[in-house]
Amino acid sequence: MPLVDSLLTPAGDLQHKETYNLVMISNVDICIRGRGVVGGTTALLLSRLNLSVQVAGYASPKQAEDIRAYAINSKSKHILELINAWPGEEYCTEVQQMHVRSDEGEIVEFLKPNSVSNQSQSNALTWIVEVGALERKIAETLEKHKIPKLMLDMSDSVEDDSRIGKQAERVNARLTVICEGSKSPSKANLHTKTSKHPYGQFALATHVKSKNGHAKHFGNAYQWFNKISTDKGSALKEFEILALLPIGGKEGDSYAIVWSTSKERNSQLKTMSSDEFSEALCSSTKGLFDDLVPFTDRQTWPLTLSTTQAWSGSFNAQQSWVLCGDCAHSVHPLSGMGLNLGLADAWSLYEHLLTREQKSSWRDLSDLRLLKAYERERKLAIYPYVQFIDIVQRLFASDYAIYGIVRNKGFKVFNTLGALKEWTIKRAMQINL
Ligand SMILES: Cc1cc2nc3c(=O)[nH]c(=O)nc-3n(C[C@H](O)[C@H](O)[C@H](O)COP(=O)(O)OP(=O)(O)OC[C@H]3O[C@@H](n4cnc5c(N)ncnc54)[C@H](O)[C@@H]3O)c2cc1C
């Protein structure tokens, strides 16, 4: 069990308005920085090993609850179930069918292949999980397992991720796992470079339901790749991706929206009235949904492709670090893969440390050969996804006519190629990988 050495009170440069909880400085095997979904999951997985684990994160949510809902594949579901962090069924909705439409109305329908249906009782292609519920469940499970935490009470909503990072640096850990997301302050101090390519788009998230009555979603998810004119009469068209993801469980009648658009359109969508929003939604769904109204606030995120060069390294001869999740890579949400890739990082690190425990426990936790093996494995695994997501995004964002022909013909042909479609679905579901 971790050994808590001493208690600290805020001092020196840390005298700010925040109320600090008792900040504990410890000797531990592993310190996880960041209590997001990847950080919490990594902590719960690694605490299954014969190692002491501590988490550095916030005691209370910094902002309003995250309104997003994530598409979670079967491998991620399995990981979350294993650590008892899968939220209740009302927050996890099975997707039975996915309908994807190109800018010229070509449709690709995704259903779970029969060969996969036989392997499990569920017919779900993927699960739409409400982020607020997932974060709460992970926090509850961390509490239940009494995983020691170094925490900062953000009740006065002061945002400064670097300050808790400074506190975390005082934890004496042989291995530090950095899961601080794409804006990680700790990463900025390491010998690694991050390439960032903004997509030039922002994502808007909100929840919508039918104005008149309760039209159930029956597990249908929808996505449109549109070229739209934002100015009436203008020949200029801009690219947007709209996803309607079913939420509220099997009997649910609501959708979580992820709407990726230009910055200008994003701010219009964020501030327009409810009626105007419904109208814009009707137009972007090509009239398929004409009475959906938003019933939660609208939150937005800038979208950037980022990849980090080194995912592991040493602080000194006895202490090393690795990166997991968005801290190592972030992608466009068009394929709903970002968190799935992050959870697969957490799982891979767990497997490497488990193998060490079983077969080479003489090897120190800070040994870079061990950590580089994790890094190599994950870079190889995520590369095809990052490339694929980037190509699709660029194909649709382009104004060249030839790209228009390629994407629309591509949609048509892809829908008829059963074997390719099945292979793609299995990859996205992470089946047999
Ligand atoms: C609109 C949108 C929709 C998406 N939809 C999907 C989807 O459908 N499916 C999917 O798989 N992915 C999706 N993603 C991607 C997903 O959001 C990310 O991949 C995921 O949140 C990454 O989790 P993380 O824990 O690595 O990082 P984060 O969620 O960014 O969490 C990092 C945490 O660390 C904390 N932190 C930062 N600095 C410090 C510090 N110094 N000390 C301590 N704590 C610190 C932060 O406050 C935060 O709590 C979507 C993304 C967007 C923008």
Side-chain angles (χ1 to χ4, degrees):
M1 287 303 289
L3 173 69
V4 176
D5 287 347
S6 57
L7 298 174
L8 263 198
T9 47
D13 66 327
L14 294 172
Q15 272 172 355
H16 295 278
K17 276 202 301 161
E18 301 96 333
T19 334
Y20 282 89
N21 283 344
L22 291 178
V23 178
M24 293 175 261
I25 298 298
S26 326
N27 284 317
V28 287
D29 294 319
I30 301 178
C31 175
I32 317 270
R33 290 195 200 166
R35 251 182 85 181
V37 177
V38 173
T41 302
T42 308
L44 288 162
L45 280 173
L46 300 189
S47 67
R48 297 162 68 90
L49 301 169
N50 201 12
L51 295 166
S52 54
V53 175
Q54 184 168 32
V55 189
Y58 296 102
S60 54
K62 287 187 289 179
Q63 301 147 339
E65 183 162 289
D66 195 324
I67 206 72
R68 286 175 294 179
Y70 290 151
I72 296 285
N73 65 26
S74 58
K75 179 171 177 176
S76 298
K77 178 174 188 268
H78 174 73
I79 296 170
L80 292 168
E81 280 174 342
L82 194 78
I83 57 169
N84 289 318
W86 186 246
E89 20 182 82
E90 67 274 35
Y91 301 110
C92 306
T93 305
E94 292 189 356
V95 174
Q96 305 290 346
Q97 284 193 46
M98 174 98 195
H99 315 264
V100 184
R101 284 159 204 248
S102 78
D103 50 324
E104 285 177 11
E106 298 297 346
I107 303 177
V108 176
E109 306 274 357
F110 291 99
L111 279 170
K112 190 170 177 180
N114 285 337
S115 58
V116 178
S117 302
N118 300 337
Q119 293 169 17
S120 75
Q121 288 178 334
S122 163
N123 271 325
L125 266 176
T126 186
W127 286 260
I128 305 301
V129 177
E130 292 177 47
V131 177
L134 177 60
E135 287 181 341
R136 276 197 306 278
K137 185 72 187 178
I138 288 180
E140 256 172 53
T141 317
L142 284 167
E143 290 293 327
K144 209 161 147 191
H145 287 267
K146 297 193 170 34
I147 296 190
K149 53 187 180 293
L150 175 73
M151 58 190 204
L152 188 62
D153 185 350
M154 300 304 286
S155 47
D156 63 355
S157 70
V158 170
E159 265 196 69
D160 186 351
D161 285 341
S162 64
R163 229 169 284 147
I164 193 159
K166 279 186 194 145
Q167 288 289 309
E169 278 166 24
R170 304 172 76 166
V171 175
N172 194 17
R174 285 186 290 151
L175 177 61
T176 298
V177 187
I178 304 174
C179 309
E180 296 176 351
S182 54
K183 292 188 194 147
S184 165
S186 298
K187 194 173 66 170
N189 301 325
L190 302 172
H191 293 293
T192 184
K193 276 194 191 139
T194 303
S195 320
K196 292 194 175 188
H197 302 283
Y199 287 110
Q201 285 196 315
F202 276 63
L204 177 137
T206 189
H207 293 182
V208 295
K209 69 187 334 181
S210 168
K211 202 184 314 182
N212 311 310
H214 301 281
K216 289 189 183 161
H217 52 58
F218 298 110
N220 284 295
Y222 303 84
Q223 193 172 34
W224 289 263
F225 290 80
N226 290 334
K227 286 275 185 190
I228 55 146
S229 304
T230 41
D231 280 336
K232 283 198 178 97
S234 162
L236 270 181
K237 293 201 165 181
E238 68 172 63
F239 164 59
E240 65 166 27
I241 306 173
L242 168 65
L244 247 62
L245 309 169
I247 52 171
K250 233 181 206 149
E251 302 297 315
D253 56 7
S254 317
Y255 295 91
I257 281 190
V258 183
W259 203 341
S260 307
T261 65
S262 67
K263 189 177 178 184
E264 295 70 33
R265 181 150 160 84
N266 177 276
S267 36
Q268 286 166 6
L269 288 171
K270 194 167 180 197
T271 49
M272 63 181 45
S273 72
S274 197
D275 284 347
E276 286 167 338
F277 191 86
S278 300
E279 211 177 294
L281 201 53
C282 173
S283 158
S284 286
T285 62
K286 312 288 181 210
L288 196 62
F289 291 92
D290 59 2
D291 69 342
L292 291 179
V293 281
F295 65 94
T296 61
D297 58 339
R298 299 169 215 166
Q299 299 172 357
T300 63
W301 287 263
L303 301 178
T304 300
L305 167 71
S306 77
T307 45
T308 305
Q309 242 170 36
W311 292 25
S312 58
S314 307
F315 290 118
N316 55 47
Q318 284 90 37
Q319 296 178 308
S320 295
W321 54 268
V322 284
L323 309 181
C324 273
D326 270 26
C327 192
H329 46 77
S330 67
V331 292
H332 197 289
L334 69 89
S335 68
M337 282 307 288
L339 178 66
N340 291 300
L341 296 174
L343 293 178
D345 295 344
W347 181 257
S348 163
L349 184 63
Y350 166 69
E351 282 191 324
H352 280 274
L353 297 188
L354 179 64
T355 308
R356 168 196 165 269
E357 188 166 288
Q358 290 169 344
K359 296 191 181 150
S360 53
S361 53
W362 45 268
R363 198 183 279 287
D364 197 81
L365 263 184
S366 61
D367 190 328
L368 277 188
R369 268 166 296 186
L370 176 71
L371 306 176
K372 289 289 170 199
Y374 153 77
E375 177 178 339
R376 271 194 305 278
E377 181 185 299
R378 289 311 297 150
K379 278 182 171 168
L380 220 64
I382 70 156
Y383 185 76
Y385 292 103
V386 172
Q387 289 300 312
F388 173 74
I389 294 165
D390 200 38
I391 288 169
V392 173
Q393 202 277 341
R394 284 174 201 280
L395 194 61
F396 279 90
S398 171
D399 285 331
Y400 288 116
I402 184 74
Y403 285 106
I405 295 169
V406 171
R407 61 186 179 244
N408 286 295
K409 287 268 180 277
F411 252 68
K412 208 173 197 165
V413 172
F414 180 81
N415 203 33
T416 59
L417 296 178
L420 178 65
K421 222 162 108 175
E422 183 167 330
W423 180 85
T424 311
I425 294 171
K426 283 185 181 175
R427 296 290 300 186
M429 294 171 77
Q430 297 258 328
I431 289 180
N432 301 332
L433 291 180

